[in-house]
Amino acid sequence: MNETHAPRVVVLAGGVGGSKFSLGMREALRRRGADANLTIIANTGDDLWLTGVRLQPDVDSLVYALAGVNDTERGWGRAGESERVSAELHQWDAGWPWFTLGDLDLGLHLARTGWLRDGATPSEVIGRMAKRWPLGARILPMTDAEVDTIVTVREGSIERSMHFQEWWTRHRAALAPVRFENPGVAEASPAPGVVESIAEADLVLLAPSNPVVSIGPILAVPGIRDALRATAAPIVGTSPIIAGSVVRGMADVCLAAIGVDSSAAAIAAHYGARAGGGLLDAWLIAEEDSALAASVDAAGITAVVRPLWMRDLDSSAALAEDAMRAGEVHGSKRRQAAR
């Protein structure tokens, strides 16, 4: 990372883990005394239309967290929410009775939908959202195209498909997934600024987000994986698995569906080493998983053992600082090798 200017950091993120990590990264940059030059490429595979409005759960979680208006108890949505509108919708048998929209949250969805129908792109909508609060970061959607995540599940001998949010929120991932798909992603293109931010970055980070349904859709957008492989910046990822268990959510179920074990080493191998055509230069694993460091190193990825629990802003900032230092170490080694 170039110390002569505010380091240009790009984070690929989705879900609660991505929001916590992004918040920690902004704080770590501030503690370094550097103006935050932080770009977050957000997963939009969770997006959906519901009761006539467009929802972007991961984008909104990032905005709310960085704005300081998120509900830290629930881990999603706005603080101080009420749910009168959802209750009324349910009285009309509208929407999903198991998917509640808060009134403040719904206000954003209505504004977004109106802007989209007036011709704004999702990128432009996020730009308008960012004008309300000082986020200290630029948030970019992975694409302006609609590429919602569809889950195919198997019940006995029968397969059926549903939106990811139904599988995740209603069924709590209890239905065995056969595959995850993002219809239309092959024809999608990165949102404006995504490829450029990766190319110009001093450091690229993969947040400890679900590798399958949070980071996976971002990497599936044509052009993003190639941009990551081509960037001169170190790429450092953080494991979402600690001691063989997911920190939050159902990433283990998602990983099993694609044949990947729920271990820090297996996910590192899933992303692959940049030297071998994959993505990672370094991979942060938890102290509880230190025994896996040798296998990560053997895969051509530098294992960095650090505390990974993000319990509050300080621990999140400490993790972000560790990720930056891992990138600096890798960058220094590469410069020395080039001499």
Side-chain angles (χ1 to χ4, degrees):
M1 291 166 61
N2 190 335
E3 301 281 346
T4 63
H5 60 73
R8 296 165 296 198
V9 179
V10 173
V11 177
L12 276 59
V16 175
S19 296
K20 286 186 175 182
F21 186 80
S22 298
L23 195 61
M25 178 54 62
R26 184 185 66 179
E27 180 64 18
L29 288 168
R30 287 177 175 174
R31 292 181 182 184
R32 283 190 170 203
D35 293 333
N37 196 336
L38 174 61
T39 298
I40 304 165
I41 300 172
N43 169 47
T44 57
D46 288 4
D47 297 4
L48 70 156
W49 287 98
L50 185 65
T51 58
V53 296
R54 186 65 174 167
L55 280 59
Q56 292 193 293
D58 281 1
V59 168
D60 295 347
S61 290
L62 283 164
V63 170
Y64 293 159
L66 292 169
V69 300
N70 59 316
D71 187 331
T72 56
E73 293 296 321
R74 292 190 300 179
W76 55 272
R78 292 278 297 275
E81 267 291 12
S82 55
E83 297 176 351
R84 293 188 65 190
V85 175
S86 271
E88 182 66 12
L89 287 170
H90 297 163
Q91 289 295 315
W92 292 106
D93 291 327
W96 291 331
W98 39 265
F99 194 92
T100 300
L101 300 175
D103 296 336
L104 296 174
D105 205 24
L106 186 58
L108 168 58
H109 304 326
L110 290 170
R112 172 190 290 119
T113 303
W115 291 331
L116 290 172
R117 288 180 173 165
D118 287 342
T121 65
S123 294
E124 291 167 341
V125 168
I126 294 172
R128 295 183 188 185
M129 291 165 59
K131 291 180 179 179
R132 180 172 177 181
W133 294 293
L135 302 181
R138 178 177 62 155
I139 300 175
L140 301 175
M142 65 189 199
T143 180
D144 279 337
E146 292 185 11
V147 290
D148 304 6
T149 299
I150 302 300
V151 186
T152 298
V153 302
R154 180 179 290 116
E155 296 176 283
S157 60
I158 300 174
E159 290 188 1
R160 65 186 179 98
S161 297
M162 65 186 69
H163 192 280
F164 168 77
Q165 291 294 347
E166 180 176 1
W167 178 76
W168 187 264
T169 308
R170 181 183 187 183
H171 298 288
R172 306 305 298 169
L175 301 178
V178 177
R179 57 186 171 274
F180 299 88
E181 298 173 292
N182 300 103
V185 73
E187 293 75 44
S189 58
V194 168
V195 170
E196 294 82 358
S197 67
I198 294 172
E200 296 167 1
D202 296 305
L203 175 65
V204 177
L205 301 170
L206 272 58
S209 302
N210 188 313
V212 182
V213 295
S214 291
I215 302 298
I218 301 175
L219 299 178
V221 177
I224 292 183
R225 190 180 289 268
D226 288 342
L228 290 167
R229 288 171 175 154
T231 184
I235 300 179
V236 179
T238 300
S239 173
I241 299 291
I242 297 177
S245 299
V246 296
V247 175
R248 184 185 178 93
M250 294 78 94
D252 51 347
V253 179
C254 300
L255 289 165
I258 65 169
V260 176
D261 291 337
S262 294
S263 80
I267 297 173
H270 168 68
Y271 285 131
R274 267 230 276 182
L279 298 177
L280 295 174
D281 294 309
W283 182 240
L284 271 62
I285 64 175
E287 295 167 311
E288 296 89 333
D289 291 317
S290 59
L292 299 176
S295 61
V296 174
D297 288 334
I301 303 165
T302 300
V304 181
V305 180
R306 292 290 186 273
L308 296 193
W309 290 104
M310 296 185 289
R311 295 186 172 89
D312 51 27
L313 183 59
D314 283 340
S315 55
S316 297
L319 175 58
E321 178 64 31
D322 287 338
M324 285 195 288
R325 289 179 179 173
E328 290 165 351
V329 169
H330 180 84
S332 177
K333 288 181 179 178
R334 186 172 57 192
R335 287 191 295 272
Q336 290 176 4
R339 290 173 182 169

